[in-house]
């Protein structure tokens, strides 16, 4: 049996795909998740410990019981919009969660951490070019604030206690396990691709394009979609990284190419055999026209590159997962697909 890795939030979307990648690499994932937004059915490659990531004692006990040698910390709250209304929850779960993870790691002599960070740490970029890690960090919502605070707390712990950590700043995680075992099943769903799929297949959820007057080719926002299995693989590689910069490194994970909202809708329509019904609404506050990663640092430091993040594969795997989904909150199947 390989080394044991604690995966907080491992019952969630990106965490469950990462557990599969860990198992494929010969490592043993132990999932620690309160199942507030995850699925027990997604925990297939090791044990599930149901607990709150802010529960320091429980975390420490779990690390010791399972002889954990490294931690991947996904657990947290993820909806940007909700963070504007309930910043208290975001600071509590996302920042106190990191504090508890670090404290339990120190107690157990666990020195290696991979942290789920986000493009939201950059806020609204001044320009339209791809974002690199040296760009200004200026979050514009409590979600991004809480993630940046987590990064900084981790960096300080690395410097002070000799830990090693990598913060992976994901752009838009998307797609589903190519074997169809896992996929995106958030409730509520706020991500464009699953919403567009629902709109195409059932029409049950209204789809709104927020703004068509951006300075982009078709006037809609452009985002960088990266396949969740490519993200998962990067976590396994990051576990083996020999860090520099006082033990803490941050890197962008994206494809380095943008896809517009209207291109997403078009591709989903083709994959589903019928177009999603949508309306055009006003721009949302703080929505940048273009958010695309420069993933050069991750490519170099992790010897990683996106392998199945071409947009067609992302959409095809997401649609296949939706049509054959084995868990999740959406039970209405389409009359025809
Ligand atoms: N999905 C994206 O596009 C994206 C982009 C950037 C960053 N991220 C980050 O990646 C991580 C995973 O995102 P995801 O899309 O897989 O979300 P998800 O909601 O599917 O997974 C998060 C998991 O954490 C668990 N959780 C939440 N609060 C918890 C707590 N207090 N204690 C224990 N478990 C708790 C949930 O039950 C869930 O299983 C998050 O930290 C998120 O901020 C996601």
């Amino acid at each position: 049996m390989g080394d044991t890795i604690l995966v907080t939030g491992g019952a969630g979307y990106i965490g469950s795909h990462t557990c599969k990648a860990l198992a494929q690499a010969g490592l043993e994932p132990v999932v620690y998740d309160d199942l507030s937004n995850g699925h027990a059915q997604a925990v297939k490659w090791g044990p599930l410990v149901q607990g709150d990531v802010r529960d320091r004692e429980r975390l420490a006990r779990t690390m010791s019981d399972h002889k954990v040698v490294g931690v991947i910390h996904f657990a947290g709250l993820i909806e940007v919009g909700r963070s504007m209304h309930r910043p208290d929850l975001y600071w509590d779960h996302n920042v106190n969660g990191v504090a508890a993870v670090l404290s339990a790691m120190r107690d157990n002599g666990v020195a290696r951490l991979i942290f789920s960070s986000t493009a939201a740490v950059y806020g609204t970029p001044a320009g339209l070019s791809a974002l690199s890690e040296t760009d200004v960090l200026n979050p514009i919502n409590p979600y991004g604030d809480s993630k940046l605070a987590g990064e900084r707390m981790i960096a300080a712990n690395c410097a002070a206690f000799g830990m090693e950590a990598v913060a992976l700043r994901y752009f838009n995680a998307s797609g589903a396990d190519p074997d169809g075992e896992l996929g995106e099943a958030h409730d509520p769903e706020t991500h464009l691709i699953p919403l567009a799929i629902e709109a195409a297949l059932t029409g049950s959820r209204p789809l709104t394009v927020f703004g068509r007057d951006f300075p982009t080719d078709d006037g809609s926002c452009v985002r960088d979609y990266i396949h969740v299995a490519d993200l998962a693989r990067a976590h396994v590689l990051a576990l083996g990284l020999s860090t520099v910069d006082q033990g803490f490194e941050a890197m962008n994970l994206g494809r380095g190419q943008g896809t517009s909202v209207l291109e997403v809708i078009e591709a989903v329509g083709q994959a589903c055999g019928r177009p999603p019904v949508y309306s055009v609404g006003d721009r949302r506050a703080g929505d940048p026209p273009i958010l695309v990663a420069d993933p050069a640092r991750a490519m170099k430091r992790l010897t990683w590159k996106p392998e199945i993040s071409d947009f067609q594969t992302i959409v095809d795997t997401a649609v296949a997962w939706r049509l054959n989904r084995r868990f999740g909150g959406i039970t209405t199947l389409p009359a025809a697909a």
Side-chain angles (χ1 to χ4, degrees):
M1 188 84 66
D3 285 342
T4 301
I5 307 299
L6 187 77
V7 184
T8 76
Y13 173 45
I14 308 171
S16 59
H17 286 81
T18 300
C19 287
K20 181 171 180 174
L22 288 167
Q24 285 172 336
L27 298 164
E28 198 195 348
V30 171
V31 168
Y32 186 98
D33 196 302
D34 68 359
L35 299 184
S36 56
N37 202 20
H39 304 273
Q41 302 98 304
V43 182
K44 303 179 181 207
W45 291 276
L48 166 65
V49 177
Q50 195 170 343
D52 192 307
V53 79
R54 296 163 297 173
D55 182 345
R56 207 205 72 83
E57 302 307 324
R58 185 93 200 281
L59 267 179
R61 222 172 31 251
T62 305
M63 287 182 198
S64 137
D65 288 350
H66 292 274
K67 300 185 174 49
V68 162
V69 302
V71 177
I72 308 183
H73 179 43
F74 292 100
L77 304 184
I78 66 164
E79 292 163 53
V80 172
R82 187 162 173 245
S83 81
M84 303 293 280
H85 305 294
R86 292 301 308 268
D88 53 327
L89 295 180
Y90 280 70
W91 283 93
D92 184 16
H93 286 254
N94 293 0
V95 180
N96 290 333
V98 170
V101 166
L102 288 167
S103 168
M105 288 176 68
R106 288 197 305 272
D107 279 5
N108 281 281
V110 178
R112 165 76 52 169
L113 174 64
I114 312 300
F115 175 57
S116 288
S117 191
T118 166
V121 297
Y122 296 109
T124 308
L128 300 179
S129 48
L131 286 163
S132 84
E133 294 80 358
T134 51
D135 275 295
V136 175
L137 300 173
N138 187 19
I140 54 159
N141 49 59
Y143 169 70
D145 281 333
S146 70
K147 287 292 185 177
L148 184 55
E151 280 197 20
R152 289 183 168 156
M153 197 189 324
I154 292 166
N157 273 256
C158 288
F161 303 113
M163 294 172 143
E164 289 196 277
V166 183
L168 298 174
R169 295 176 183 157
Y170 320 144
F171 281 62
N172 292 54
S174 50
D177 173 42
D179 304 327
E181 289 188 281
L182 297 164
E184 189 163 10
H186 293 123
D187 185 19
E189 189 54 77
T190 56
H191 294 137
L192 176 61
I193 294 175
L195 288 176
I197 293 172
E198 281 316 296
L201 294 180
T202 71
S204 62
R205 293 179 177 206
L207 183 66
T208 307
V209 174
F210 296 106
R212 275 216 60 181
D213 55 352
F214 287 97
T216 58
D217 287 349
D218 62 22
S220 66
C221 286
V222 168
R223 296 291 180 266
D224 184 334
Y225 294 89
I226 175 86
H227 196 287
V228 64
D230 280 330
L231 285 184
R233 214 165 23 81
H235 291 75
V236 179
L237 294 167
L239 277 173
L241 183 74
S242 236
T243 52
V244 292
D245 293 341
Q246 293 202 304
F248 177 81
E249 292 188 43
M251 48 193 82
N252 292 338
L253 290 182
R255 185 176 161 224
Q257 280 177 44
T259 307
S260 77
V261 171
L262 293 178
E263 286 170 337
V264 170
I265 291 174
E266 169 73 24
V268 166
Q270 279 181 12
C272 293
R274 51 187 169 187
V277 177
Y278 69 90
S279 57
V280 176
D282 292 338
R283 289 184 186 199
R284 288 180 300 196
D287 242 357
I290 299 179
L291 264 186
V292 174
D294 173 354
R297 183 183 286 181
M299 291 174 81
K300 181 163 179 240
R301 295 287 294 138
L302 303 179
T303 10
W304 168 86
K305 66 173 174 13
E307 285 177 359
I308 57 166
S309 290
D310 60 281
F311 198 66
Q312 196 61 49
T313 303
I314 286 175
V315 170
D316 288 349
T317 53
V319 170
W321 160 252
R322 169 59 183 89
L323 292 174
N324 306 304
R325 65 188 302 134
R326 302 195 184 130
F327 54 81
I330 300 163
T331 46
T332 324
L333 284 173

